[in-house]
Amino acid sequence: MSALPLLIGHDRALAPLRRAAREGRQHHALLLQGPEGIGKRLAALHLALFGVCDAEDPAARPCGVCKACRDAMHPEHLHPDVGFVEPDPTKKTALLDVGRIRQVVSGAGLARWRGRFRTWIIDPADAMNAAAQNALLKTLEEPNPGTGFILVTARPKALLPTIRSRCLQVRLTPVPTPAIAQWLQARGVAPDDAQEAARRAGGRPGHALTLSEPEAMAHRTEARDALLRALGGTAGEMFQWGESVGKAGRTAAREALDLVDELLRDVVLQGAGGDHAARALHPDLADGFDRWVTVLWPDGVARLTDTVADARRSLDLNVSARAVMDALVLQVAAELGPARTALARRPIP
Amino acid sequence: MELYIDRDALGRALGRIQRVVEKRSTQPVLANVLLHAREGLLRLTATDTEVAYIGQVDANVSSGGEVAVEADALFRIVRKLPEPTVHLTLDDKQRLTITAGRASFTLNGLSAEEYPALPPFEARERATVRDGDLLRAIEQTAFSIATEDVRWGINGAHIEQVDTDAGPRLRLVATDRHRLATSQIPFEGQVAFPARMLVPRKALGVLQNLLSGSDDEVTLGFGEGAVQVRRDTDQFWFRLLDGEFPDYKAVIPSEHSHTMLLDRAELDATLDRVTILLTERARPVRFAFADGTLTVDVENVDRGKVEEALPCELDGEPITVGFNGRYLREVLRAVHGGRVRMQLSHALAPCLVTDPDVEDAFFVVMPMRLD
């Protein structure tokens, strides 16, 4: 069986890129953009494999089974012609600084290892600060023949216009729910669970896979309700929530931000009317949710979306998770005003 | 896999890996050495993806096999084994047992499948040189390789064949646009390859460490994107730079109206002293050449001034030129003889620096504007 990375739902966006890669006409600077978690990184890896796969028949590339494909897909990225440039997970800040980019630039000056085309995948590209982006410009514009870059980002606006203008911009969209459900079923998830997980995942296949495990779904509902309780509680309860999430770590803090984003998305869906509400990520909140929509739609949503984006940035820059959570819950509560108690269900005694 | 092998020979090969392969925290697999045993030989492979080492050690192999184990741990174990004969066995769970006398270690290994594949190397052409010659050529050129220049082509040393009066030579050239260094060495073989033979600075540094300065033979193999260096049973492999080296011959001056002869050590010592007063490296040192005397001076408005005179033979009119003191000193160190010859046609023209007694190297230093 092919060990190719899971990549579903982006056929239309990727088809021309695949065709070009198969014919050895890779673009030297791609910018893959789209929301978090929909498979941009896997799409980048998939495209990069075309340049290294050893399968004799070009139509069979990438095969995912030859040694070159396996080296490239190894968690440590062992194929030097498929280079991942990503923040160092052992460091507290999730930044790509100018030193890291200079390493890439000098690495891009070396001859290729054994592939036909070498790709550097910068993920997330918006982790580069301005100095790092400037250090990349010249090479991005005119790399050595047989070398290219794929920049991956959910926040293209965080990139310098000079970077964006040098790239072929490709927008990936959330994967349609039926496609995710079908894929989950193929992996052995029961149809009902697959439907539910796919709907809740908001177009993110990897997320759906996590949610398809019953504990994960329960954990998520529990985390959401804890936030809603805190929002409806006293200042002391809000800080208590901030403290508990902060203690659980940065991943928990990022999950809390995802949660707020999901709730805002549901506000937008319901606020916009029509049958969008049927696609809500948290349909079980429907009753009290109307009050949220009345208060937040549309200006509050815009402001809070910025709040969440700022909070993400702060986490990347190593601001304490607790401080970020404290600020978040206070701002959301302030924006909601009296509506903040609408969804604050108390645990059943 | 089961074999008997000499402790010291195995230790030497593992020691080379320590010197060649850089450890990277993001790719722990590369901290391993791949061991491959077959008839009468144990082959060791290690790489950091820029440099690779492939060594062979004679061994009494009773059954072949391969495994990747942590290179550093194996090196430290082998060095301290109490007996000169080492017994290696591999079980089906990729555990390597290393036994010598009373000592018996077991290292948890990785399947060879997990180790990245090295690119196949095919040498298009080969040249055999002497270890000491190659070391000299690297020492005479590596200092003027550019550091992280946006033009890839000058971030390494260029290798080519040149025809001289003494016969064909292998020439190394390096430049950072402010100075240029060339050194040529005799070789046997054929190197009619096209332009792109650029060895990165890092690879030259590694190679410099490995060479001993002896008369031993070293074989250079030039292939697609890589150069291979063989000495005895050791094989090293360096990735080349992918870029165009500039047409360096265009900057080598062919006509000179001023030729100066100086004592190399004296000039070096003078420069060492006068540059003390320079607060900025990029400021020029003033050289006033006149018949019989060179006056070197530095004037720093903030600090003060210094002037030294030293003997100089001048052929041509007196001339005053500015040079970067550090660049010129690095060149002086690379000119090995007792005397040094400097030649130029006017105060802002490239200055050719050579050893008047030996013709195996020459250097060009760009003068600086004096204001």
Side-chain angles (χ1 to χ4, degrees), chain B residues 159-174:
Chain B
I159 304 181
E160 65 176 4
Q161 176 177 335
V162 289
D163 293 313
T164 69
D165 298 342
R169 292 286 184 268
L170 202 61
R171 177 185 277 174
L172 262 68
V173 193

Side-chain angles (χ1 to χ4, degrees), chain B residues 224-235:
Chain B
E224 185 68 43
V227 60
Q228 178 201 53
V229 179
R230 294 176 93 136
R231 199 178 54 179
D232 301 328
T233 52
D234 289 329
Q235 204 188 107

